[in-house]
Amino acid sequence: MAVATQDSAVRTGRATRFVLYTVLLVFALFYLLPLFIMLVNSVKPLGEITGGSMIALPQTWTFEPWAKAWSEAQVGVEATGLRPYFWNSIRMVVPAVLISTILGALNGYVLTKWTFRGATVLFGLMLFSCFIPFQIVLIPMARVLGEIGLAGTTTGLVLVHVVYGIGFSTLYFRNYYAAFPTELVRAAQIDGAGFFQIFWRIMLPSSGPIIVVCVIWQFTNIWNDFLFGASFASGSAAPMTVALNNLVQSSTGVKEYNVHFAGAIMAALPTLLVYIVAGRYFVRGLMAGSVKG
Amino acid sequence: MAQSSVETDIHTSVQAPAEPDFKTRLQSWLPKLVLSPTVAMVLLFVYGFILFTIYVSFTDSRILPFVNAQGATSYDLIGLSNYEKLFRLSHWEIAITNLAIFASLYIIICCAIGLMLAIFLDQKIRGEGVLRPIYLYPMALSFIVTGTAWKWFLDPGIGLENTMHIWGWTSFKFDWIKNGDYAIYTLVMAAVWQSSGFVMAMFLAGLRGIDNEILKAAQMDGASNWQLYRRIIIPQLRPAFLSAFVILAHLAIKSYDLVVALTGGGPGRATELPATFMYSYTFTRNQMGIGAASAVIMLMTVAAIIVPYLYAELREKK
């Protein structure tokens, strides 16, 4: 391949292209495999999993495992299914995403258009907080939540996610607003517009894309969180990820793999849907959060 | 829109000149006022808490709450002995050895696969728009979800091994997840599956940013495809490599959910990582001082990687 002389842009021969497509397709199958396994085995009777191939399509289709995972399975003390925990996650994720996004937007606005001495240092401190291993805050956080009476509650989790989500949301808005013409802000200021008016009438109307990016990123991160959920709300306030883990790891009775897979899809569905609908923004968020700090 | 609103504002401010002093003063303080809740939260919940955990790591605290209702302390400062104990624990040694194996394989394989897929996708591939999202979707899933899927798929009794047996390859054996010597590699497998698409996206963005003119010129000079990539394109991806390394390294150190879902740290302690060590020592083994010490070590490792990176990025911006 190396010797084959090419005289124009990176060009590939027929054989090379065959290899390219084969490799790319094999990897596509590799990435799709776990999803396929989850889907296929969530609609099989248990006997077909234990007695058959995991990769085979079901012989008898059944939605029993879904119903069971949703409303009957033994997750906590009672056999409630995953339903209450799904709602816990919703109740956690909606306020946490809203608050962290709003604060992030305001912070980004201040840090770019009303900048002051030490702003970069402050921003650096916020940025670092995005990357800390959260083990370092578990002990004091557990104690503080206990002391203000929020241990084991969804409200406590909202607080935690706002606090540790704010770094990223600030990062997004700051980088986005940095490219926004400051002259427009100064002109409006000269015309007598105040701080919030400029934000509300000038900045926000042009912030659509970054709001989407930020909301998607926060939603995905907070929904998928396990560490905080397991540490601070493992009981009846547990979020979906913790409940799913309890379901899968429970050692009592027969292992109902099909129910586990159905539950896993339920836990994956919200973020997967967001990804399917707005994948482009998700990727943008990933890149903004990593490539450019 | 903006124009008219500004005008109405002028009118209202003209109509109400009562306390311009206060208003202008407020305006000048407003930005800092708006920023202050966040600053307070970050200082308290991040940096205050870090200091607190460091403090706990110097005490012989065992369980929460370590201060009684009257504020009296029920622990003693014991200096660095938690750290001494920590590094004498075989459990911790296993955790950091595992982390070293896991992190290096995870980073290397993710970069290799990511780079390969990015280069291949960059060859004007038909269906790129379909393939790219397929490579990337694992990043949107919770590690608990993917851990569950991989856990049962790798389970010899019902997963891959069983399938191969049914397909007629009866001597096929794949029980790594149950084997203490190999379980760590199943962790690598699932983690690579989750993150390699993301690395691909980073490299692809890098590749798309390379100036085509340089490539054309090199080609005029008779450079082969291989040389082109080896000498010109890959060296230009250095920033993408750096970002990938930083992101993957810090993800590896923080890895917790995947271990819990996939292996639970087992079999035995075969897949124990610092994150799982910290959790079990702090919350289930009642050795909070040691747990805190391990968290401090984790933080310092991450900081050693992240701080220079952020510093460079922030300076670049200026």
Side-chain angles (χ1 to χ4, degrees):
Chain A
M1 182 168 46
V3 193
T5 46
Q6 256 100 32
D7 45 357
S8 59
V10 183
R11 209 171 267 175
T12 42
R14 194 174 281 266
T16 320
R17 291 199 80 73
F18 179 74
V19 175
L20 286 186
Y21 276 101
T22 311
V23 171
L24 289 174
L25 280 177
V26 167
F27 270 93
L29 291 180
F30 167 66
Y31 288 114
L32 285 174
L33 185 69
L35 188 63
F36 173 78
I37 285 172
M38 284 195 279
L39 281 171
V40 162
N41 291 292
S42 72
V43 289
K44 265 184 204 172
L46 188 58
E48 275 187 46
I49 300 178
T50 49
S53 162
M54 206 174 237
I55 297 172
L57 288 172
Q59 282 155 352
T60 349
W61 292 70
T62 168
F63 288 96
E64 192 75 16
W66 281 73
K68 200 161 181 196
W70 181 246
S71 53
E72 291 164 40
Q74 182 93 24
V75 176
V77 187
E78 280 170 73
T80 55
L82 290 168
R83 180 173 44 193
Y85 304 98
F86 188 88
W87 295 120
N88 282 347
S89 269
I90 298 274
R91 275 199 301 273
M92 164 187 80
V93 86
V94 171
V97 167
L98 284 179
I99 298 170
S100 63
T101 304
I102 292 169
L103 284 175
L106 286 168
N107 294 343
Y109 169 53
V110 172
L111 287 173
T112 52
K113 303 304 169 209
W114 301 85
T115 182
F116 50 90
R117 269 175 62 97
T120 311
V121 174
L122 269 184
F123 179 60
L125 286 175
M126 280 184 209
L127 209 51
F128 179 65
S129 77
C130 299
F131 296 99
I132 56 168
F134 292 123
Q135 281 76 14
I136 198 75
V137 297
L138 286 185
I139 296 170
M141 195 45 134
R143 186 181 164 202
V144 166
L145 287 179
E147 249 163 47
I148 56 179
L150 290 180
T153 65
T154 303
T155 318
L157 278 187
V158 170
L159 172 73
V160 173
H161 285 300
V162 166
V163 167
Y164 300 109
I166 223 166
F168 264 121
S169 59
T170 303
L171 163 73
Y172 287 141
F173 283 97
R174 179 194 179 266
N175 287 358
Y176 187 81
Y177 288 153
F180 188 91
T182 307
E183 300 79 51
L184 269 178
V185 175
R186 294 291 163 256
Q189 228 184 326
I190 290 163
D191 287 344
F195 177 84
F196 282 113
Q197 258 176 329
I198 296 174
F199 180 68
W200 193 249
R201 312 260 172 153
I202 300 179
M203 306 301 283
L204 267 193
S206 64
S207 307
I210 203 65
I211 292 174
V212 177
V213 165
C214 183
V215 165
I216 289 178
W217 173 266
Q218 298 287 26
F219 177 81
T220 310
N221 262 357
I222 297 172
W223 183 276
N224 287 343
D225 161 72
F226 177 76
L227 183 63
F228 288 141
S231 307
F232 307 134
S234 48
S236 61
M240 190 66 175
T241 48
V242 175
L244 172 65
N245 190 54
N246 290 346
L247 173 70
V248 175
Q249 310 289 350
S250 79
S251 46
T252 48
V254 191
K255 279 203 162 46
E256 294 181 292
Y257 304 107
N258 49 359
V259 176
H260 299 174
F261 285 125
I265 297 174
M266 284 170 196
L269 218 47
T271 53
L272 211 50
L273 278 181
V274 166
Y275 179 72
I276 291 167
V277 172
R280 180 191 313 233
Y281 290 98
F282 176 74
V283 177
R284 236 178 101 175
L286 271 179
M287 306 300 279
S290 57
V291 179
K292 274 285 137 217
Chain B
M1 268 294 279
Q3 211 69 12
S4 67
S5 71
V6 170
E7 265 163 6
T8 45
D9 179 56
I10 291 169
H11 291 307
T12 47
S13 60
V14 167
Q15 277 159 5
E19 37 187 64
D21 232 15
F22 173 72
K23 218 182 154 185
T24 43
R25 244 188 312 158
L26 184 71
Q27 282 291 343
S28 71
W29 275 100
L30 213 45
K32 281 173 193 165
L33 208 63
V34 166
L35 199 62
S36 56
T38 306
V39 173
M41 275 199 288
V42 168
L43 287 182
L44 173 69
F45 287 101
V46 178
Y47 295 96
F49 279 12
I50 288 175
L51 291 179
F52 191 92
T53 304
I54 293 173
Y55 179 72
V56 171
S57 77
F58 293 137
T59 69
D60 59 357
S61 320
R62 290 183 156 259
I63 45 169
L64 280 168
F66 29 70
V67 173
N68 69 25
Q70 282 77 43
T73 53
S74 55
Y75 57 85
D76 291 308
L77 277 171
I78 52 167
L80 287 170
S81 58
N82 278 331
Y83 291 87
E84 282 165 23
K85 265 187 229 154
L86 179 68
F87 280 95
R88 276 204 305 268
L89 281 172
S90 66
H91 196 157
W92 175 250
E93 202 188 308
I94 292 170
I96 49 178
T97 314
N98 280 340
L99 177 64
I101 298 172
F102 171 72
S104 42
L105 287 175
Y106 171 62
I107 294 170
I108 292 169
I109 300 175
C110 272
C111 283
I113 292 179
L115 183 63
M116 181 187 74
L117 292 178
I119 289 176
F120 283 14
L121 267 186
D122 199 33
Q123 309 300 323
K124 302 200 173 57
I125 290 296
R126 214 173 293 171
E128 190 201 320
V130 180
L131 290 171
R132 230 175 345 139
I134 291 177
Y135 295 164
L136 252 166
Y137 88 90
M139 218 38 205
L141 299 183
S142 150
F143 277 116
I144 301 295
V145 170
T146 54
T148 303
W150 281 101
K151 181 190 179 76
W152 297 142
F153 179 65
L154 296 174
D155 189 285
I158 56 160
L160 184 64
E161 186 180 303
N162 183 42
T163 300
M164 287 301 169
H165 290 178
I166 288 170
W167 286 357
W169 186 357
T170 44
S171 62
F172 182 85
K173 201 162 155 50
F174 192 76
D175 61 351
W176 285 12
I177 198 163
K178 302 263 183 193
N179 183 328
D181 293 331
Y182 291 99
I184 189 82
Y185 302 110
T186 60
L187 212 59
V188 175
M189 228 181 270
V192 164
W193 177 83
Q194 186 115 3
S195 325
S196 48
F198 167 53
V199 180
M200 178 279 299
M202 283 167 65
F203 282 136
L204 194 59
L207 285 173
R208 298 270 151 92
I210 291 174
D211 187 4
N212 235 342
E213 293 306 307
I214 305 172
L215 302 185
K216 290 236 175 78
Q219 229 134 26
M220 297 273 214
D221 292 343
S224 70
N225 275 356
W226 173 252
Q227 284 172 322
L228 217 55
Y229 275 103
R230 176 81 184 63
R231 298 275 168 78
I232 301 174
I233 297 179
I234 293 176
Q236 286 210 44
L237 290 177
R238 191 174 306 188
F241 269 110
L242 183 65
S243 305
F245 172 78
V246 170
I247 301 294
L248 294 174
H250 109 277
L251 283 180
I253 296 166
K254 286 160 80 168
S255 285
Y256 175 72
D257 324 11
L258 186 60
V259 187
V260 169
L262 192 67
T263 63
R269 290 170 181 175
T271 50
E272 204 76 69
L273 289 183
T276 56
F277 175 97
M278 186 274 166
Y279 198 90
S280 66
Y281 268 72
T282 306
F283 293 113
T284 56
R285 286 164 175 254
N286 300 339
Q287 295 275 1
M288 202 165 58
I290 293 179
S294 69
V296 172
I297 302 284
M298 287 176 69
L299 176 76
M300 289 185 345
T301 320
V302 169
I305 296 166
I306 286 283
V307 169
Y309 176 72
L310 291 182
Y311 186 72
E313 291 264 313
L314 278 178
R315 269 174 62 109
E316 217 170 86
K317 278 261 152 82
K318 291 229 111 180

